[in-house]
Amino acid sequence: TAMISNTAAKVASSVPFRVAIVGGGVSGCASARRLAQLAPSATITLYEIGRGPGGRASTRKTRSMPHIYINHGAPYADISTKLGRSLISSLGPSCTAPFQGVRGSIDSATGLFSPGHGSRESEGGNADKSDYITGASGEMSQIASSLIRDIPSIETKYKTMIRDLSRAPNGEWQLRDKSEKLIGSADWLIIAGSGVAHPRWSNTFGGEPPLVAAEKKCQDPKLREALDSIATQKVSPVLAVFFSFSGSTARRWLSLDYDVADVEGSSILSKVIIQGDKDSDNGADDAWCSVVLHSTEDFALQNTGVYGASSSAARVAGAASDASLENSLIEKMMLALKGIPGMPEICIKSDDSNDTSSIPSSHYDYGPALHRWGNAFPKGDALSEELSFLQSSRIAFCGDYVASSEQARFGSFESALLSGTSAGEKIAKYHQS
């Protein structure tokens, strides 16, 4: 569908209305931005379980070393459609940067690197037509942040888990946290991410998915159809292990021939991502780098119930995580990395040994830490555009699991960006009419 012009914002309905967005990833932030542009009378509240915006395209930081960043989900975004390019361009040149890293694949048995496109982009068929971008200063989270920055009508509530959704007799949506406290109400819901709507919620947090439970109390055939469609979608879960170095260790990692490499022939690792400052001007010891390891889908499926002690699922939502198993998985993934010929030396603490004398306390600036991307990387059939906007329940769905009219690659950053923009636009258009 064609985008509504920004001029249309001037004729948007002046009747105030409230929108609650569940999920602060790229799609949630994109929907908030477009809605604020086109409907100045809308009061928008964005609820996000994480520390800040971005979702899978977020960035880990540490207060003790603020110059270090770790893009532990998406190291870059590939943009292939005209609308996607236009939306990114509208953020301004200070909000994004071209991703200039070397991509390709590495043979786990020989260590041989072959330059080329990442596996997911190649599956979409648009690898040669894409622009590759990252956020300002290399931080992916800056893209989501820039979508909602300095917009007064958008309120953000981070570190907030929506545990219950219900619809009051007057039609308004009510949102409650895990202590059953009412934390918000709205005329419209935007479900930015399938978490509260998908059966896998029950395995992680227990109980019925909040939107499924809400539909049973306030039945809507169209919403039921949308939920049934979402329930058929699968995901490719990924365990991520990440750590940072500085000084000579960082320089050894930064001297490798690649920045993002799909790992071929490993039953444990699927990807190695290297990020850092290769052009330090203040002396050699200022060099730093972060290394991110992504597991194979099979390895993640074999090791369920581990989310990472520092993850939002564990910290905010109370998802149970086995600490001893977490350490064991970190060790296995790092041993798999160490087994690839040509990799710089890394120190690994064995879970079976109390002897840590061989590991200098200064070896890692951060980590090793583990995070489970359990609801990322969807696969199957996208939720159709027809089912993504439901006037009957006043719900819009958006995210990388939703189809976009521009036919962006399913499961991509761009599909989240476009479907979020569309969700905000459709609600604004509804109120204009």
Side-chain angles (χ1 to χ4, degrees), residues 3 6 29 35-36 63 65 72 81 85 97 161 173 208 255 258 269 297 333 336 341 394 407 418:
M3 287 180 66
N6 283 320
C29 292
L35 188 56
R63 291 190 186 92
M65 305 192 77
H72 58 312
T81 70
R85 289 188 175 97
M161 181 194 190
W173 281 100
E208 273 193 304
S255 68
Y258 53 86
L269 298 182
E297 178 181 351
M333 289 178 64
R394 294 207 166 189
Q407 297 184 333
L418 295 180

Side-chain angles (χ1 to χ4, degrees), residues 329-384:
L329 295 179
I330 290 173
E331 179 188 353
K332 287 178 182 178
M333 289 178 64
M334 293 184 74
L335 283 170
L337 176 71
K338 193 172 184 177
I340 300 175
M343 286 292 172
E345 185 70 17
I346 55 172
C347 294
I348 302 173
K349 179 184 180 297
S350 171
D351 204 39
D352 299 325
S353 171
N354 293 320
D355 179 18
T356 60
S357 59
S358 61
I359 305 179
S361 59
S362 60
H363 187 73
Y364 297 107
D365 293 330
Y366 179 92
L370 179 141
H371 179 91
R372 183 181 185 87
W373 294 110
N375 200 40
F377 309 111
K379 58 183 181 179
D381 294 325
L383 179 68
S384 68

Side-chain angles (χ1 to χ4, degrees), residues 276-323:
D277 187 351
K278 299 179 179 180
D279 303 307
S280 179
D281 297 325
N282 300 316
D285 287 338
D286 286 344
W288 69 271
C289 86
S290 299
V291 178
V292 180
L293 312 177
H294 282 185
S295 76
T296 61
E297 178 181 351
D298 285 346
F299 187 75
L301 289 171
Q302 291 162 12
N303 296 283
T304 57
V306 179
Y307 302 97
S310 61
S311 70
S312 298
R315 290 183 308 103
V316 179
S321 191
D322 187 322

Side-chain angles (χ1 to χ4, degrees), residues 212-229:
V212 173
E215 193 279 330
K216 288 183 177 179
K217 295 175 184 174
C218 190
Q219 295 183 354
D220 174 357
K222 275 293 183 185
L223 178 55
R224 182 69 259 165
E225 189 179 350
L227 291 171
D228 287 344
S229 176

